[in-house]
Amino acid sequence: MFSALPEAERDAITVIVFIGTFFGALTVGPVSERHAGVRLGLLFRLFCLVLAFYAAIAVYGVHASWRNHVGAAQRSY
């Protein structure tokens, strides 16, 4: 995505996206938890971690083949 940037800046942007996505998702969790009346536990935190990882590799520009398999698994249900 940011292939024109120097390597150090691309790494820094990737770390910022990872941290921002993780804490952003963790912030949205309690708000939706209060409205829905559901307790979010360890699996929600794991989901936030995986979401942040996925966003970071997408921003970094990694074209992982498993990203297509995850989408195919989601469509099969």
Side-chain angles (χ1 to χ4, degrees):
M1 178 178 249
F2 297 107
S3 58
L5 293 174
E7 189 71 26
E9 289 180 12
R10 195 168 81 174
D11 293 345
I13 290 172
T14 303
V15 169
I16 290 169
V17 166
F18 179 83
I19 293 171
T21 305
F22 181 68
F23 286 118
L26 282 178
T27 303
V28 170
V31 172
S32 61
E33 184 178 24
R34 278 191 297 263
H35 290 296
V38 187
R39 292 192 43 88
L40 300 174
L42 182 64
L43 286 178
F44 177 72
R45 290 186 184 106
L46 181 63
F47 169 75
C48 293
L49 190 63
V50 170
L51 178 69
F53 177 74
Y54 183 77
I57 66 166
V59 166
Y60 192 74
V62 174
H63 298 290
S65 64
W66 58 266
R67 289 173 55 187
N68 296 333
H69 297 296
V70 170
Q74 179 184 5
R75 285 186 218 109
S76 67
Y77 288 114

